[in-house]
Amino acid sequence: RECVSNVSHELKTPITTIKGFVETLLDGDLDEQEDTRKFLGIISKHSDRLNAIIEDLLSLSRIEREEESAGIELVPGSVDVVLMAAVQACELKARDKNITLELACDSTIRARINPPLLEQALVNLIDNAVKYSDPGSVVGIEAVSAGQEIRIEVLDRGCGIPTGHHERIFERFYRVDKARSRNLGGTGLGLAIVKHIAVTHSGSVSVQSAPGKGSTFTIHLPSP
Ligand code: ADP
């Protein structure tokens, strides 16, 4: 019940906005080209938001469904291959903001993984690092083998997160700054998906962050 209520609440803002601007356009003088273009831009942005929320919800439910049915298959694999694929997927968005993605991973590091899911988790973390960093900065992606665990870290020097929020940011739809997240095209579901995927790998996710200093998100996986 809580989930339905949260989802409905999240969908309501973009739908109300789209409806409002469509009605304005229908009622108005469509010869005002500049306004028409502006309103269509707003409608387009909010449709993208709706789409992003639905995509993320479908991802979450797909993972849950697979877990319940056959279980998620984990196979021994190279971590660096997954890291490279995730970096490649984020390269364009990073370049748009003039942000450099720096990858450091020993090719010998292996773990029991589901490569597409792990890639999705890393894409979400890198995407956030890019979103919450200033143009021109650097985002690091590193994997290290440390005793009983493999640690995959995504480091940024962006706005950072006050300690009081660290526990809650992995909850569905929790955001530190709602307006900022929405402006950046966020859904509030990215980190919930990361956490789910980490747990699916018998691992966990943690955060170290301070306002103004940046953030480091770490996926901990058991050593094979
Ligand atoms: P969103 O789509 O809003 O980014 P997420 O679930 O990915 O949703 O993240 C939840 C919240 O955690 C974000 O709204 C933001 O406040 C905070 N956050 C996540 N990653 C970072 C980061 N790298 N730097 C600063 N804040 C972050």
mmCIF file with all atom_site columns, all heavy atoms in Angstrom, residues 7 46 132 136 175:
data_model
loop_
_atom_site.group_PDB
_atom_site.id
_atom_site.type_symbol
_atom_site.label_atom_id
_atom_site.label_alt_id
_atom_site.label_comp_id
_atom_site.label_asym_id
_atom_site.label_entity_id
_atom_site.label_seq_id
_atom_site.pdbx_PDB_ins_code
_atom_site.Cartn_x
_atom_site.Cartn_y
_atom_site.Cartn_z
_atom_site.occupancy
_atom_site.B_iso_or_equiv
_atom_site.pdbx_formal_charge
_atom_site.auth_seq_id
_atom_site.auth_comp_id
_atom_site.auth_asym_id
_atom_site.auth_atom_id
_atom_site.pdbx_PDB_model_num
ATOM 1  N N   . VAL A 1 7   ? 4.372  5.825  -5.281  1.00 0.00 ? 7   VAL A N   1
ATOM 2  C CA  . VAL A 1 7   ? 4.484  5.902  -6.743  1.00 0.00 ? 7   VAL A CA  1
ATOM 3  C C   . VAL A 1 7   ? 3.459  6.897  -7.282  1.00 0.00 ? 7   VAL A C   1
ATOM 4  O O   . VAL A 1 7   ? 3.790  7.753  -8.109  1.00 0.00 ? 7   VAL A O   1
ATOM 5  C CB  . VAL A 1 7   ? 4.284  4.506  -7.386  1.00 0.00 ? 7   VAL A CB  1
ATOM 6  C CG1 . VAL A 1 7   ? 4.156  4.626  -8.888  1.00 0.00 ? 7   VAL A CG1 1
ATOM 7  C CG2 . VAL A 1 7   ? 5.440  3.580  -7.034  1.00 0.00 ? 7   VAL A CG2 1
ATOM 8  N N   . HIS A 1 46  ? 8.892  16.854 -18.569 1.00 0.00 ? 46  HIS A N   1
ATOM 9  C CA  . HIS A 1 46  ? 8.110  16.075 -17.609 1.00 0.00 ? 46  HIS A CA  1
ATOM 10 C C   . HIS A 1 46  ? 7.731  14.698 -18.152 1.00 0.00 ? 46  HIS A C   1
ATOM 11 O O   . HIS A 1 46  ? 7.602  13.751 -17.382 1.00 0.00 ? 46  HIS A O   1
ATOM 12 C CB  . HIS A 1 46  ? 6.889  16.885 -17.139 1.00 0.00 ? 46  HIS A CB  1
ATOM 13 C CG  . HIS A 1 46  ? 7.289  17.936 -16.151 1.00 0.00 ? 46  HIS A CG  1
ATOM 14 N ND1 . HIS A 1 46  ? 7.286  17.724 -14.798 1.00 0.00 ? 46  HIS A ND1 1
ATOM 15 C CD2 . HIS A 1 46  ? 7.785  19.182 -16.330 1.00 0.00 ? 46  HIS A CD2 1
ATOM 16 C CE1 . HIS A 1 46  ? 7.736  18.817 -14.187 1.00 0.00 ? 46  HIS A CE1 1
ATOM 17 N NE2 . HIS A 1 46  ? 8.032  19.709 -15.104 1.00 0.00 ? 46  HIS A NE2 1
ATOM 18 N N   . TYR A 1 132 ? 25.808 15.090 -9.598  1.00 0.00 ? 132 TYR A N   1
ATOM 19 C CA  . TYR A 1 132 ? 25.995 15.923 -8.410  1.00 0.00 ? 132 TYR A CA  1
ATOM 20 C C   . TYR A 1 132 ? 27.395 16.538 -8.312  1.00 0.00 ? 132 TYR A C   1
ATOM 21 O O   . TYR A 1 132 ? 27.810 16.959 -7.248  1.00 0.00 ? 132 TYR A O   1
ATOM 22 C CB  . TYR A 1 132 ? 25.636 15.124 -7.146  1.00 0.00 ? 132 TYR A CB  1
ATOM 23 C CG  . TYR A 1 132 ? 24.178 14.715 -7.147  1.00 0.00 ? 132 TYR A CG  1
ATOM 24 C CD1 . TYR A 1 132 ? 23.787 13.406 -7.435  1.00 0.00 ? 132 TYR A CD1 1
ATOM 25 C CD2 . TYR A 1 132 ? 23.169 15.653 -6.923  1.00 0.00 ? 132 TYR A CD2 1
ATOM 26 C CE1 . TYR A 1 132 ? 22.447 13.037 -7.472  1.00 0.00 ? 132 TYR A CE1 1
ATOM 27 C CE2 . TYR A 1 132 ? 21.831 15.295 -6.966  1.00 0.00 ? 132 TYR A CE2 1
ATOM 28 C CZ  . TYR A 1 132 ? 21.475 13.987 -7.234  1.00 0.00 ? 132 TYR A CZ  1
ATOM 29 O OH  . TYR A 1 132 ? 20.145 13.642 -7.286  1.00 0.00 ? 132 TYR A OH  1
ATOM 30 N N   . GLY A 1 136 ? 33.712 20.027 -15.138 1.00 0.00 ? 136 GLY A N   1
ATOM 31 C CA  . GLY A 1 136 ? 35.178 20.091 -15.112 1.00 0.00 ? 136 GLY A CA  1
ATOM 32 C C   . GLY A 1 136 ? 35.818 19.204 -14.059 1.00 0.00 ? 136 GLY A C   1
ATOM 33 O O   . GLY A 1 136 ? 37.040 19.126 -13.968 1.00 0.00 ? 136 GLY A O   1
ATOM 34 N N   . ARG A 1 175 ? 15.154 11.656 -1.260  1.00 0.00 ? 175 ARG A N   1
ATOM 35 C CA  . ARG A 1 175 ? 16.144 12.560 -1.850  1.00 0.00 ? 175 ARG A CA  1
ATOM 36 C C   . ARG A 1 175 ? 16.538 13.601 -0.827  1.00 0.00 ? 175 ARG A C   1
ATOM 37 O O   . ARG A 1 175 ? 15.710 14.011 -0.017  1.00 0.00 ? 175 ARG A O   1
ATOM 38 C CB  . ARG A 1 175 ? 15.563 13.292 -3.055  1.00 0.00 ? 175 ARG A CB  1
ATOM 39 C CG  . ARG A 1 175 ? 15.071 12.392 -4.165  1.00 0.00 ? 175 ARG A CG  1
ATOM 40 C CD  . ARG A 1 175 ? 14.068 13.206 -4.934  1.00 0.00 ? 175 ARG A CD  1
ATOM 41 N NE  . ARG A 1 175 ? 13.624 12.590 -6.146  1.00 0.00 ? 175 ARG A NE  1
ATOM 42 C CZ  . ARG A 1 175 ? 12.379 12.139 -6.268  1.00 0.00 ? 175 ARG A CZ  1
ATOM 43 N NH1 . ARG A 1 175 ? 11.536 12.216 -5.265  1.00 0.00 ? 175 ARG A NH1 1
ATOM 44 N NH2 . ARG A 1 175 ? 11.997 11.639 -7.403  1.00 0.00 ? 175 ARG A NH2 1
#
